[in-house]
Amino acid sequence: MATNKKNPTLITTVGTMAATAAVAEYQDHYQKTLYDSDYFWDQTARQELRWYSLFHRVQDCDLHAGRIAWFLGGKLNVTDNCIDRHLPERANQVAILWEGDTPDQIRKITYLELHQEVSRLANVLKSYEIKKGDRVAIYMPMVPEAAFAMLACARIGAVHSVVFAGFSAESLRDRICDAKCTAVITADEAIRGGKTIPLKRITDEAIMACPLVKTIFIVKRTGNKIPFYPERNVWLDEEMKKQMPYCPAEVMDSEDPLFLLYTSGSTGKPKGVTHTTAGYLLYTKLTHRLVFDHQEGDIFGCMADIGWITGHSYIIYGPLANGATTFMFEGIPIHPHPGRYWEMVERHKMTQIYTSPTAIRTIARESIDYVKKYDRSTLRVLGTVGEPINEEAWKWYYEVVGEKRCDIVDTWWQTETGGIMITPLPKIHSKMLKPGWASYPFFGIRPVVLNEKGEELNSKSGSEKVEGLLAIKNCWPGMARTIYGDHQRFYNSYLAAYPGYYLTGDGCRLDEEGRYRITGRVDDVINVSGHRLGTAEVENALSTHPACAESAVVGYPHEIKGQATLAYVVLKEGYESNGDLLGELRNEARHHIGAFATIDKILIAKALPKTRSGKIMRRVLRKIASAEYHDLGDLSTLADPSVVEQLIHQHKIL
Ligand code: WT7
């Protein structure tokens, strides 16, 4: 690619721009990264990543055709970039700083130790014949071994599929089977908020239906007694002791898959979102550095779980690629007390904290003294992610936690985007922050607002409010490449509806100054406490109950969780609503999906509002669940409009 033309210092300037903090400069560079996108990414990829051999083409993308590929022909290894390349300068710097469920448990893993642990674990995997391209499920508590496991897979080119430890046996089974995993890495038990979760027992239950799984590697977390089957169960610590602390990194192609991460869509079947090697690493590295204004000596505190994309991108890959000290937290924000985050900030002198609006609202409910008690003067950037943040929570974060001194970065992105897409940048946008607005696109990202017809709406097209569907008009290195085993579904979900655009599934608004505000999902996905849940998954869970004839699940606004779930359930003949039955129905989602999927309210309905062709009118159900009984829109296509009146009446007394 051409490298010698135009502005050779673009990426260098972008990287150091925060120091000068000029908005006009940002604008200028942002425009350049769009109009000369290949040049920008070419330079960035050369400067940011260590390559075994350089790529020969920056990208080969065509959203119309569903083809996405970056840095073609390049060879590299993610762990070489995240670990080995830092060893000359950072061998004794802490790479992973871990705090357990209770504050008395702290572990510090240096880059050298990380290199050794990851190598040992990688050698264990190899000794059990796991090789490049094999899929390995990781079902783990938030302990450093979970990070070692992910990185060990990356070291040997195995593809990890982390399943959040809050998922049920059934959810774990579906994910293991879909990915055809041949091994699972888990722990005896997890501890979170003082409660234990029997991970090994759940894994045993899950793999009964997964004959391809040959080995279960078990990390000792609690040391409590667990079922152990020597034919295919292995204690990881014992095996690691036998291995060399060095393992050569597999040479990977830019487009070799790095991991799968299952996420919810509009059908009951979760999607194995697939990320590849070079583009993902580059994008998480760059966004971590610029969005969090990463500096030498920082202690970066992302409070997410590695079971979600935030944990992948901003606990593991982005920070480690930047040679940062990344924090890993096993617990929850209110255990053993609601000041836990700030106690940790003080103890470790954290410089950034990255958490969800739900966590912020949960802590903000408690006395302000829990915050004030601890020294937060080291903090510079406060990040939020996962769901829209309301103005009140934003202000509390800004004023109480950050004392109006820190930049708030409300970062919008998705499992599918790999990294942060829309966000203010620290220092650069400090004076332009607007509560509840994710604000500006990251370098190289071209968002647009579409109306239902697929026409682009423009902020300068008049004084009317610009509101519509959020889509992205170009490709970027961090974007998902496919859905594992089902590229057609990938195409249909994201690229087919509006050809030439990546459709996000979110609604948004655009203001006159070019800021975006994300208003929430416009598809059949709900977002409970920042956890993504498909309404169809919850409906499938309900349908397993013998009393359930039919159901429709929708989200409604919730003060703490952002959204909560309401299930409209029609009972089969002969069943009557009572407390026990409601309890059982509510438990189905917990049982089939996982504890975080609890149904908040159940409304037993005589019938659901359906069109004459038999389609449930979800729009109406959403409105009723939100207690917006007026403005229900056109009901003339309903087979029986009287159903609506009845549901409203029932909802009022719920
Ligand atoms: C959905 C993606 C991105 C990591 C965690 C969630 C919602 C995410 C924001 C934000 C408003 C947000 C969107 C998005 N979302 N960040 N800053 N403001 N909404 O990843 O599970 O893939 O969910 O989370 O609705 O589509 P995910």
Side-chain angles (χ1 to χ4, degrees):
M1 279 315 293
T3 53
N4 53 350
K5 55 169 190 175
K6 293 166 195 156
N7 181 356
T9 61
L10 182 56
I11 173 58
T12 321
T13 323
V14 163
T16 55
M17 203 167 47
T20 53
V23 177
E25 211 181 334
Y26 156 82
Q27 274 298 344
D28 184 42
H29 285 297
Y30 170 67
Q31 291 302 337
K32 281 185 187 144
T33 64
L34 293 188
Y35 291 111
D36 210 345
S37 167
D38 278 9
Y39 174 70
F40 170 67
W41 290 118
D42 175 75
Q43 291 293 291
T44 314
R46 285 165 190 263
Q47 286 190 27
E48 297 289 326
L49 300 184
R50 183 155 91 169
W51 299 88
Y52 297 136
S53 59
L54 202 60
F55 50 94
H56 55 73
R57 183 170 174 188
V58 177
Q59 52 94 9
D60 178 19
C61 299
D62 182 349
L63 287 177
H64 290 273
R67 186 174 71 242
I68 306 152
W70 285 86
F71 312 117
L72 288 85
K75 304 284 178 201
L76 74 168
N77 183 287
V78 164
T79 64
D80 177 60
N81 276 275
C82 289
I83 307 172
D84 301 42
R85 77 179 290 190
H86 304 312
L87 290 180
E89 284 172 8
R90 303 183 189 278
N92 298 318
Q93 181 197 314
V94 175
I96 297 178
L97 170 56
W98 176 83
E99 203 166 306
D101 193 45
T102 48
D104 54 323
Q105 301 163 296
I106 292 171
R107 285 170 67 185
K108 295 178 180 179
I109 292 108
T110 65
Y111 271 95
L112 179 61
E113 287 162 343
L114 184 62
H115 184 255
Q116 296 175 336
E117 298 292 330
V118 169
S119 294
R120 285 201 178 91
L121 214 162
N123 286 330
V124 172
L125 298 180
K126 274 175 146 177
S127 73
Y128 281 84
E129 279 156 25
I130 295 164
K131 51 187 190 316
K132 179 173 174 174
D134 290 350
R135 275 84 49 219
V136 175
I138 298 179
Y139 186 59
M140 292 272 278
M142 282 290 290
V143 291
E145 284 72 14
F148 305 160
M150 293 164 72
L151 293 161
C153 288
R155 187 97 185 153
I156 64 170
V159 180
H160 60 70
S161 167
V162 181
V163 179
F164 175 58
F167 275 113
S168 67
E170 218 172 283
S171 298
L172 177 61
R173 177 199 68 196
D174 291 348
R175 287 158 176 76
I176 292 174
C177 287
D178 187 76
K180 303 186 185 69
C181 294
T182 54
V184 184
I185 308 177
T186 187
D188 48 3
E189 295 177 312
I191 318 173
R192 214 157 165 256
K195 296 191 190 120
T196 55
I197 311 167
L199 296 184
K200 172 59 167 53
R201 204 177 51 67
I202 298 172
T203 305
D204 286 341
E205 193 184 328
I207 62 144
M208 284 197 294
C210 312
L212 294 176
V213 173
K214 290 211 270 300
T215 319
I216 300 177
F217 300 96
I218 312 157
V219 171
K220 222 171 252 154
R221 174 65 188 105
T222 63
N224 291 332
K225 208 170 154 38
I226 52 151
F228 188 88
Y229 308 106
E231 320 84 73
R232 56 175 173 186
N233 290 183
V234 175
W235 285 109
L236 197 58
D237 58 338
E238 288 173 13
E239 291 297 310
M240 282 170 71
K241 274 190 210 130
K242 299 179 198 160
Q243 297 295 337
M244 294 272 283
Y246 176 73
C247 170
E250 188 77 32
V251 175
M252 304 297 285
D253 189 89
S254 291
E255 283 298 330
D256 278 334
L258 175 63
F259 66 84
L260 314 180
L261 185 58
Y262 282 83
T263 192
S264 298
S266 49
T267 72
K269 194 175 180 298
K271 310 185 259 199
V273 172
T274 306
H275 284 286
T276 56
T277 299
Y280 172 81
L281 183 65
L282 176 66
Y283 197 70
T284 53
K285 183 178 186 203
L286 194 68
T287 48
H288 167 257
R289 204 175 67 231
L290 300 183
V291 175
F292 297 101
D293 181 32
H294 173 65
Q295 313 276 340
E296 198 60 47
D298 277 0
I299 310 289
F300 180 70
C302 173
M303 300 296 155
D305 192 288
I306 50 140
W308 311 111
I309 190 71
T310 310
H312 286 60
S313 300
Y314 300 110
I315 296 177
I316 310 292
Y317 293 113
L320 294 179
N322 284 319
T325 296
T326 186
F327 183 72
M328 197 172 171
F329 180 41
E330 186 182 36
I332 56 170
I334 50 168
H335 182 76
H337 59 78
R340 183 71 192 273
Y341 275 7
W342 325 117
E343 182 192 346
M344 298 193 298
V345 165
E346 177 183 283
R347 180 163 35 247
H348 303 296
K349 302 191 167 36
M350 278 182 208
T351 42
Q352 294 89 354
I353 190 159
Y354 193 26
T355 190
S356 67
T358 291
I360 295 167
R361 289 187 292 257
T362 308
I363 313 169
R365 241 190 339 190
E366 308 285 342
S367 160
I368 211 167
D369 297 339
Y370 282 113
V371 186
K372 301 257 162 187
K373 207 166 133 186
Y374 300 101
D375 179 12
R376 288 155 284 116
S377 60
T378 48
L379 286 173
R380 301 197 312 272
V381 182
L382 307 174
T384 89
V385 61
E387 40 175 330
I389 184 163
N390 49 310
E391 208 169 314
E392 201 187 339
W394 193 100
K395 285 193 169 143
W396 183 86
Y397 206 27
Y398 184 68
E399 287 164 14
V400 177
V401 177
E403 295 169 319
K404 303 186 184 168
R405 196 175 35 75
C406 302
D407 285 293
I408 304 276
V409 290
D410 173 359
T411 62
W412 174 84
W413 56 297
Q414 310 176 298
T415 304
E416 295 88 341
T417 70
I420 294 164
M421 301 286 283
I422 300 183
T423 178
L425 290 176
K427 297 176 189 159
I428 295 170
H429 294 129
S430 298
K431 299 210 168 58
M432 303 165 76
L433 298 177
K434 190 164 155 185
W437 290 70
S439 300
Y440 302 103
F442 191 73
F443 298 105
I445 306 297
R446 194 194 290 269
V448 291
V449 187
L450 300 180
N451 65 15
E452 295 279 344
K453 282 185 258 169
E455 295 157 347
E456 287 182 25
L457 306 176
N458 192 312
S459 64
K460 295 185 184 67
S461 58
S463 57
E464 261 177 58
K465 190 158 98 173
V466 181
E467 181 156 10
L469 307 169
L470 177 63
I472 312 293
K473 205 182 175 170
N474 61 350
C475 293
W476 65 100
M479 77 188 294
R481 302 298 191 259
T482 192
I483 289 172
Y484 186 76
D486 198 349
H487 192 67
Q488 190 62 49
R489 187 170 177 203
F490 178 81
Y491 188 79
N492 294 346
S493 307
Y494 308 108
L495 308 178
Y498 301 103
Y501 298 94
Y502 165 84
L503 190 64
T504 67
D506 280 310
C508 76
R509 279 169 54 190
L510 180 61
D511 74 6
E512 296 79 19
E513 289 161 301
R515 289 189 200 85
Y516 290 83
R517 179 194 178 95
I518 314 302
T519 50
R521 302 288 305 199
V522 293
D523 54 8
D524 294 325
V525 169
I526 38 187
N527 196 324
V528 180
S529 306
H531 295 160
R532 191 159 148 184
L533 206 57
T535 54
E537 289 172 85
V538 185
E539 288 158 14
N540 286 351
L542 282 168
S543 72
T544 61
H545 193 283
C548 175
E550 193 179 19
S551 72
V553 172
V554 298
Y556 64 92
H558 185 277
E559 220 183 311
I560 302 291
K561 303 199 278 189
Q563 273 191 306
T565 45
L566 187 154
Y568 297 86
V569 178
V570 179
L571 297 180
K572 281 187 192 151
E573 283 274 325
Y575 285 93
E576 251 177 58
S577 167
N578 60 48
D580 286 349
L581 180 66
L582 291 178
E584 283 171 30
L585 287 169
R586 184 171 289 142
N587 259 323
E588 292 294 359
R590 263 185 101 79
H591 179 69
H592 291 281
I593 302 169
F596 66 94
T598 314
I599 298 169
D600 296 276
K601 285 186 187 171
I602 294 191
L603 190 154
I604 301 293
K606 287 218 174 59
L608 299 176
K610 288 188 183 170
T611 60
R612 277 183 284 273
S613 58
K615 204 170 164 316
I616 297 173
M617 217 184 245
R618 289 176 176 273
R619 164 176 63 82
V620 170
L621 294 178
R622 278 195 284 265
K623 288 258 175 173
I624 297 175
S626 311
E628 292 171 24
Y629 306 127
H630 308 289
D631 265 349
L632 293 178
D634 180 15
L635 301 178
S636 64
T637 56
L638 281 178
D640 177 7
S642 74
V643 171
V644 174
E645 278 313 308
Q646 183 135 40
L647 291 177
I648 291 176
H649 171 72
Q650 279 181 279
H651 185 261
K652 281 183 178 162
I653 57 175
L654 200 63

